[in-house]
Every structure is written in C-alpha cells, then in structure tokens.
Amino acid sequence: MWCQFDLSAVDRPVPSDRIEHSLMSDSVSVLGPRVPVTVSDTADIGIAVRSMIDRQVGAVLVTDASGRLVGILTERDFLTKVAGSADFASRPVAAFMTRHPETVRLADPLAFALGKMAGGGYRHLPVVADGKPVGVVSVRDILRYIVGLCREG
C-alpha cells in the first residue's frame, strides 16, 4: 500500500560540518588515486608478491586477458592464505586472491568509498572504469584528505 508521501529524502543524510560535507560531495577523484599495480590472473604468487615489494604497495589488482578486474591480492591475503604454504611462490595467484572485490568509480562520493571500506574492513579499494582498473585508493589516502581538511580550518 502506498502512503502517498515522498520518502526520497527521509533517510538522506545531512552533513553537519565542513568535513562531512566534503566527504558527501567530493568524489574519489580528489584523492588522486594511484596507478594500480596489476598482475594477470595466470600469474603465480611469486610474481604478485615481487610486484608488491618492488612497487611498495599493499595490494595488487588481478586482471583477466581483456584487462578486466577479476580479483585483488593484499598483504592480508598473503598472511592469512599464502604464508606457510609449501612452494607458494609457484602457485597461481587466482587460488589466493579475493575474487570480485568491491570497487568504486572516480565520480563516486568519498563517503561511498569510505562506507565500503568501513563495512568490509578493506584497506584498499580498486577504482574502475568499464570494469578495468584505473586506480587504487587506500584508507591512508582518505585519512590524508581528512587531515588536510582539518588543517584548512
């Protein structure tokens, strides 16, 4: 049964200060997402971990032959799924990655990205366009942005 009232604004959050306003109105693009480090879904763990070490990142994005994002391998994945496995370096990254990770787009509000990170406990979030990775944002990026807002007064 319809109540005949416009309920579209009932649960819409209203920012209470400048920081909340920025988080709700600024897009992910203001963070300047880093160029993602990617590996093929046919790569082995050794290549993925070497890429993480060489590029000093906490996550690599895993793509298929067409360049579409199919997974993510993070430091946490390595510690909880890989470390201790015999001969792990030659095992396929696809066996340990997190498949179909949460993603954001450059135009999504920062609050949307922050909500996904908080809800899922993620430290890294791939930024995609048409299913292909175009960047990565981290909790550290968002914290730096918020600290910058606080310093502006």
Side-chain angles (χ1 to χ4, degrees):
M1 171 170 254
W2 298 96
C3 65
Q4 299 181 4
F5 291 102
D6 179 15
L7 300 177
S8 62
V10 171
D11 290 330
R12 184 174 298 159
V14 177
S16 62
D17 59 30
R18 190 173 58 80
I19 293 173
E20 283 185 9
H21 183 271
S22 291
L23 291 173
M24 294 171 67
S25 60
D26 292 343
S27 69
V28 168
S29 64
V30 300
L31 298 175
R34 285 170 281 120
V35 173
V37 176
T38 62
V39 296
S40 166
D41 58 352
T42 60
D44 58 47
I45 287 290
I47 290 172
V49 171
R50 176 55 45 204
S51 296
M52 293 169 70
I53 293 169
D54 290 347
R55 303 282 299 273
Q56 299 181 343
V57 295
V60 292
L61 304 184
V62 183
T63 58
D64 65 14
S66 66
R68 298 184 71 78
L69 180 69
V70 295
I72 185 170
L73 183 78
T74 68
E75 296 164 321
R76 184 183 309 159
D77 290 326
F78 183 80
L79 291 174
T80 61
K81 299 175 186 174
V82 180
S85 299
D87 300 325
F88 68 84
S90 61
R91 299 188 60 194
V93 69
F96 300 100
M97 70 183 186
T98 299
R99 295 183 183 279
H100 313 296
E102 292 280 352
T103 63
V104 290
R105 297 169 299 166
L106 285 170
D108 287 333
L110 285 176
F112 184 68
L114 194 55
K116 283 192 172 197
M117 291 173 142
Y122 311 127
R123 291 182 294 161
H124 300 92
L125 205 52
V127 181
V128 297
D130 298 323
K132 296 182 178 180
V134 296
V136 174
V137 293
S138 68
V139 168
R140 183 182 302 174
D141 298 329
I142 293 177
L143 285 174
R144 282 187 186 137
Y145 184 77
I146 292 171
V147 168
L149 290 173
C150 292
R151 286 184 179 153
E152 291 174 4

